[in-house]
């Protein structure tokens, strides 16, 4: 597609979707900003920043900017990882030896 071609994406209600529009994905309620629009053999796709995924515009609705959540802070330190594992890791009780797993049949 040539750069001069403009992709016209419409949400479920027929409202235009443009880059920087705030949209909500209907199936999960995920809200994010549109960062890219592309078109291929399967139609038009909308890239949402919060998930990094492309969605069909028919599955999106225009949302209010107040629906956007505060910017997420990534945890990258060892202390953060250890804290996460203490909270959600479940300890060593769930570890099983699967060295001799065989299929039936």
């Amino acid at each position: 597609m040539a750069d001069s071609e403009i992709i016209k994406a419409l949400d479920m209600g027929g409202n235009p979707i443009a880059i920087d529009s705030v949209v909500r994905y209907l199936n999960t309620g995920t809200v994010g900003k549109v960062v890219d629009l592309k078109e291929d053999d399967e139609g038009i796709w909308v890239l949402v920043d919060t998930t990094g995924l492309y969605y069909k515009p028919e599955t999106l609705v225009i949302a209010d900017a107040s629906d956007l959540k505060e910017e997420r802070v990534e945890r990258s330190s060892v202390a953060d990882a250890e804290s996460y594992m203490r909270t959600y890791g479940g300890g060593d009780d769930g570890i099983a030896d699967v060295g001799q797993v065989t299929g039936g049949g």
Side-chain angles (χ1 to χ4, degrees), residues 13 16 19 25 28 39 42 50 66 72 74 78 87 92 97 101 103:
I19 298 207
Y25 178 56
T28 61
E39 187 170 11
E42 296 181 27
T50 52
S66 65
R72 290 185 286 174
E74 288 190 33
V78 172
T87 304
D92 291 337
D97 179 16
V101 175

Side-chain angles (χ1 to χ4, degrees), residues 1-9 17-18 37 39 44:
M1 174 184 309
D3 290 339
S4 61
E5 290 185 45
I6 296 177
I7 298 173
K8 294 185 181 182
I17 298 174
L37 298 168
E39 187 170 11
I44 297 173

